[in-house]
Amino acid sequence: MEIHRFEKLWLAASLVLILGFVATVVYGAVGAGVAMVNDDGGTVDPGDITASENFREPGVYEAGDGEYAVYVEARQFSFRPGSSQPIEVPADTRVTFYVTSPDVTHGFSVVGTNINTMVVPGQVARITTVFEEPGTYHIVCHEYCGAAHHNMQGQIRVVDQSQFDASATGPAAIDDPAAEVSD
Amino acid sequence: MAYVDEYPRAAKIARWEFGVAFLALALGGVFGLVQALYRTDTFREALPINAADYYTILTGHGVLLALVFTTFSIAALFTWATTRSLERPLASNRLAWGAFWLLVIGTVLAATSILNGFVPQLPFESSDVLFTFYAPMQAHPAFYLGAALIIIGSWVAGAVYFLTYWEWRKDNPGERIPLQTFMVLTTFLMWYLATLGVAVEVVVFLIPWSLGLIDTVDPLLTRTLFWFFGHPVVYFWLLPAYLVWYTVLPKLAGGRLFSDPLARAVFVLFLLLSTPVGFHHQYVDPGIPEGFKFVSMTNTMMLLLPSLLTAFTVVASLEHGARQRGGGGYVGWLRSLPWDRPAFSGCALAGLMFAAGGFSGMINAGMNINYLIHNTLWVPGHFHLTVGTAFALTIMAIAYWLIPQITGKRLQHRRLAMVQPYVWFVGMTLMSNAMHRAGLAGLPRRTAEPMFQEAGSAPFDPVVGTVGEMRLQIAIGSTLLFVALAMFLVVMFGTWLGKSGAAPLAVNGSIPDPLSGPEGSPRVLDNLKVWTAIAVVLVALAYGLPIWSIISDGLLTPGSPPIPV
Ligand code: HEM
Ligand SMILES: [Cu+2]
């Protein structure tokens, strides 16, 4: 079988391109440390999401070492916290989101950032991020979840650490005053 | 002698299959226009739907176009390609009609339960679950049953091609499989393997669950089974277009296929690599370890290889054709191609758009940049270039060439046909480009209303242009697409009304031999058993552990009860 010279060249160039793509992702993961959604959030019972160790009453918690943990329940058709009241977190601090759903599949994506995960009932999506800029960020449910899916949205308010500490609501759990402040 | 005279019974089956496909295309196209106008807030008051109906429309659009139009068109094309290239009638017309009716019944069940969303008088209950039907959102059982019948119907259709091939093999021991049949068989082997995922999802889990026979299903498991099928299905759409680009397009360009062995190698690669990649649709799913996502990404990137090779061969064949027609120069030969013949221009433009779709697909495939665009409008922007154009426009284009051969009727409204592919091309350029950019700015897909309309909130911040300008482009683009679709349907309808034998057909169905034939190539290329076995092993490697880790805590846990829409 004769393979034309140009065919061989093209084949070689294609393979180089493919290897290049894989290499950039490897570099991103190993070198630049881009973390991706994983299975480390664990599982919960969709019928009772706070029953297991893997999820807590929705709200913002101080997680020690100046880090924060935010537990978000995504349900038809709101984020708790996030929709009726913004999630408030300090800037320049590691914040880890834990998101799960007691009903159908949702999405949790923060416009203009790399935060983008599916929210699958039974699974806890865990994403860590640092908001460098104070300001208001918008949460979008980007998976169709029912007739009012387009209304499912929320906000994150990122404020300076000093303002966060002074603020009346923070760092207490926002939607649920009964929840504990510290971890 | 036209195809219809040689194989009247196969031609009849192909005609009916195309007929249903084009009906689905027409209805799906109307839905496409309505939803594009609705979500861009263009003439919204004049549209007959509200925001909740939007999802009924979207479910109809996805199911009718991505499942029904495609499957029927593929069955028609493959019926023609198998009989033509084996030079014999189908092994069993009865079975082929059986497949047709299974597909029709499946379509009617699914479509009725979807349309119930706006016409509650129809039987069943509404099933606004979109064509991905992620549990625990629950559709009426008729929807799942319909989906199952469509899959089973496609299996039976494929069995007929295999039976026909085995008959041929008995009469032609030791001969190389004719190229088109080779493509049909490898496509279907891939399809049998891929549909196992969705068949298990629907038959083992969703149907019993929607009937109340089991209480819960594990949403991550059913979702994973869906995507086991959900990526290879795109190759089920694409490979028929490749069949046309490899075997018919060079002839339409005035030349011959460059290399038969390379075409075979490409189809073998697709058989091997199409299925063990589904996790790339689940890059941002919780519950799946990063390592498995990485393996699937590497396989996905390898899948670029057969498509890049196809680009080479198709362009080389076109250039050969153009030079046969007297073209010259480095790129000057492009001008010598028959751009006024819609069968040619449609396929060529479809191929061009597919190249663009391939680039946006490379972005989707990158595990990390995927975070930027996952579930944004970028994604429909991407697949309207692939299934929505590479496949759909190729089918429309080849219909201009094939419908006369399977009906014996001369093509009508030829001028309309001549401009139709260009209108589609312009419309799709506008719509898809705006969708890609809107996705980069973060606009979600599958969303009826423009979000964040309240005063002072402008979270979507495009790099170039404005959200308003993108909406306008989507609205204009989709209107042009709809016009192009209407033009196509007028041509088909006019041709169908025409009299057979009234005028000589302007097409002939002969296909010249490739420049380099299969003779010198390794015989193992034709050994379908070997390739199938390797494909199965690759799938077991890619899916064995992840599926095990999902089901190890129980098949139905963590479990969700049905949540009807
Ligand atoms: C008249 C031409 C068409 C128009 C105007 C159109 C318009 C649209 C729009 C605006 C969406 C996005 C809706 C959303 O995410 O909110 C969409 C989705 C989609 N389109 Fe099209 N489309 C057309 C043709 C096609 C064709 C030919 C195919 C396939 C053969 C196709 C397959 C799909 C699929 C699979 C979806 C995704 C549905 C979902 O997200 O569940 N479309 N279309
Ligand atoms: Cu939602």
Side-chain angles (χ1 to χ4, degrees), chain A residues 1-2 4 6-7 10-11 14-15 17-18 21-22 24-26 28-29 34-40 43-47 76 99 102-105 107 109 111-127 138-155, chain B residues 51-52 55 128-130 134-137 218-220 223 258-259 261-262 283-290 293-294 297-298 301-302 304-305 308-309 311-313 362 366-368 370-375 441-442 444-449 451-452 454 457-460 520-522 553 558-560 563 565:
Chain A
M1 175 171 86
E2 189 218 328
H4 197 278
F6 287 146
E7 258 173 345
W10 182 264
L11 182 70
S14 305
L15 284 171
L17 179 77
I18 290 168
F21 280 140
V22 176
T24 58
V25 177
V26 174
V34 182
M36 288 166 232
V37 181
N38 213 323
D39 64 339
D40 54 12
T43 60
V44 291
D45 174 7
Q76 287 173 328
V99 194
D103 47 40
V104 301
T105 301
S109 117
V111 182
T113 72
N114 276 341
I115 302 173
N116 185 335
T117 183
M118 300 305 300
V119 184
V120 180
Q123 311 290 327
V124 178
R126 178 176 180 278
I127 331 153
H138 292 79
I139 313 170
V140 173
C141 169
H142 64 31
E143 185 55 84
Y144 166 65
C145 57
H149 156 63
H150 43 272
N151 295 331
M152 185 160 168
Q153 56 190 43
Q155 282 191 357
Chain B
Y55 303 107
D128 303 342
V129 291
L130 306 191
Y134 297 137
M137 205 178 264
D218 176 351
L220 185 66
R223 192 176 157 81
F258 198 66
S259 162
L262 194 71
Y283 283 155
V284 308
D285 275 18
I288 297 165
E290 207 172 328
K293 296 179 179 173
F294 186 81
M297 177 188 75
T298 314
M301 293 294 181
M302 285 308 291
L304 283 174
L305 188 64
L308 288 167
L309 293 177
F312 180 90
T313 319
M362 294 176 198
M367 238 169 112
N368 43 14
N370 180 268
Y371 278 70
L372 210 58
I373 46 84
H374 175 80
N375 265 2
R445 67 184 283 203
R446 299 182 150 179
T447 302
E449 304 275 352
M451 295 178 89
F452 301 113
E454 56 271 29
S457 99
F460 303 117
S521 67
D553 59 353
S560 291
I563 300 184
V565 280

Side-chain angles (χ1 to χ4, degrees), chain B residues 118-297:
Chain B
F118 10 73
V119 191
Q121 292 84 344
L122 285 173
F124 315 135
E125 267 157 54
S126 71
S127 300
D128 303 342
V129 291
L130 306 191
F131 83 110
T132 43
F133 49 86
Y134 297 137
M137 205 178 264
Q138 186 228 331
H140 188 272
F143 178 90
Y144 299 121
L145 195 62
L149 288 179
I150 293 177
I151 299 294
I152 295 168
S154 75
W155 288 349
V156 177
V160 177
Y161 312 137
F162 273 92
L163 289 174
T164 312
Y165 162 68
W166 286 325
E167 272 187 15
W168 173 89
R169 180 49 91 198
K170 256 185 263 150
D171 298 345
N172 301 272
E175 254 187 62
R176 297 305 288 256
I177 307 174
L179 183 57
Q180 283 186 327
T181 301
F182 182 84
M183 293 171 160
V184 169
L185 300 184
T186 39
T187 304
F188 258 92
L189 286 170
M190 184 275 287
W191 181 242
Y192 285 122
L193 185 59
T195 41
L196 283 181
V198 71
V200 171
E201 180 196 6
V202 172
V203 176
V204 178
F205 295 106
L206 299 185
I207 291 181
W209 173 74
S210 66
L211 291 172
L213 302 176
I214 54 177
D215 293 333
T216 59
V217 294
D218 176 351
L220 185 66
L221 177 61
T222 47
R223 192 176 157 81
T224 301
L225 290 170
F226 182 85
W227 286 114
F228 179 104
F229 144 91
H231 193 74
V233 71
V234 315
Y235 293 103
F236 184 60
W237 306 328
L238 195 62
L239 293 181
Y242 277 20
L243 180 146
V244 170
W245 299 350
Y246 272 108
T247 65
V248 190
L249 180 60
K251 169 222 161 81
L252 297 174
R256 296 152 70 176
L257 171 63
F258 198 66
S259 162
D260 166 306
L262 194 71
R264 285 177 206 253
V266 162
F267 274 69
V268 166
L269 282 172
F270 277 117
L271 167 57
L272 297 184
L273 292 174
S274 294
T275 315
V277 296
F279 282 121
H280 73 209
H281 288 261
Q282 298 177 274
Y283 283 155
V284 308
D285 275 18
I288 297 165
E290 207 172 328
F292 298 136
K293 296 179 179 173
F294 186 81
V295 169
S296 143
M297 177 188 75

